[in-house]
Amino acid sequence: MAAVFIHHTDTPNGYDCADVPRTLRNLYTGQTRDRRWGDLGYNFLVDKCGTIYEGRAGGADRPVIGSHTIGFNQGTVGIAAIGTFGRGTPVPAAMEHAIAALAAWKLSLRGIDPTSKVRLTSTNDKSRYTKGTSAEFDAISGHRDGYATDCPGEALFARLPAIRTMAAGLQGRSPRASSGAGLPLGLQSLHRGVK
């Protein structure tokens, strides 16, 4: 896994966190019935309370290919923030922290600094890049970086630099020392807490 793409589900923000499983069932139905995908497109979803949910089955501990960023699904992870994050919408701190922690963990499995750049090759002409084109991305990018969309919304997209910095800090990296130390114990066991 070389990069993480951040999405939003484009669903209402006024949910109670106890009701998120219902939202996930609705998303699952929409993506499997309406889009005819075999599962949710996102590898993970994060709610406003900071709870991380496994999306596409098996993605917590294996490199499962999602259906989240046309042309750049292979070798990447899709994390969707549950809600809609257009301009001026506050992004909950708990959600940001959970996204950063999850991205830090997944990128650490390949030794990737969350603040670094990575090269990905498009596998589909419907992406922003024609099939076979190599392009540079942030290790933590927004859906719109690889596909013509507003996702993950202006507000969440604007928070990506802070999420990258937070993820690097969780990996034990500093701006001057990119070699980094091992992950904190909480990140090492993160996958055991995924619902």
Side-chain angles (χ1 to χ4, degrees):
M1 193 273 310
V4 172
F5 281 101
I6 306 300
H7 304 262
H8 68 171
T9 58
D10 202 20
T11 54
N13 292 351
Y15 59 87
D16 183 87
C17 290
D19 294 331
V20 168
R22 182 177 342 143
T23 300
L24 296 179
R25 284 190 295 275
N26 291 339
L27 286 168
Y28 176 84
T29 299
Q31 293 185 0
T32 58
R33 184 191 64 207
D34 301 342
R35 294 185 181 178
R36 297 179 185 250
W37 295 347
D39 199 349
L40 279 170
Y42 315 114
N43 299 96
F44 298 94
L45 299 99
V46 177
D47 71 18
K48 65 184 179 182
C49 295
T51 305
I52 297 169
Y53 294 87
E54 182 176 7
R56 186 155 283 216
D61 57 357
R62 293 180 296 159
V64 172
I65 297 172
S67 239
H68 53 85
T69 307
I70 291 177
F72 299 102
N73 291 316
Q74 295 180 1
T76 66
V77 169
I79 301 173
I82 299 172
T84 302
F85 297 96
R87 186 180 311 276
T89 303
V91 181
M95 176 181 274
E96 279 190 32
H97 189 271
I99 290 170
L102 181 56
W105 169 58
K106 291 302 274 186
L107 291 170
S108 75
L109 297 175
R110 294 286 300 272
I112 297 171
D113 180 340
T115 61
S116 69
K117 302 283 187 183
V118 296
R119 291 207 72 77
L120 302 173
T121 301
S122 175
T123 62
N124 192 308
D125 286 332
K126 293 181 181 178
S127 78
R128 283 195 180 272
Y129 302 91
T130 57
K131 183 176 180 178
T133 301
S134 176
E136 186 175 75
F137 291 89
D138 289 303
I140 301 174
S141 288
H143 184 188
R144 68 174 60 179
D145 292 319
Y147 185 72
T149 178
D150 290 331
C151 183
E154 290 295 327
L156 184 52
F157 189 77
R159 296 300 303 156
L160 292 184
I163 289 170
R164 289 182 199 111
T165 300
M166 189 183 314
L170 290 168
Q171 282 187 350
R173 298 176 188 271
S174 70
R176 283 178 267 141
S178 62
S179 62
L183 284 177
L185 184 58
L187 285 179
Q188 292 172 5
S189 61
L190 180 64
H191 71 280
R192 288 192 293 273
V194 174
K195 294 183 179 180

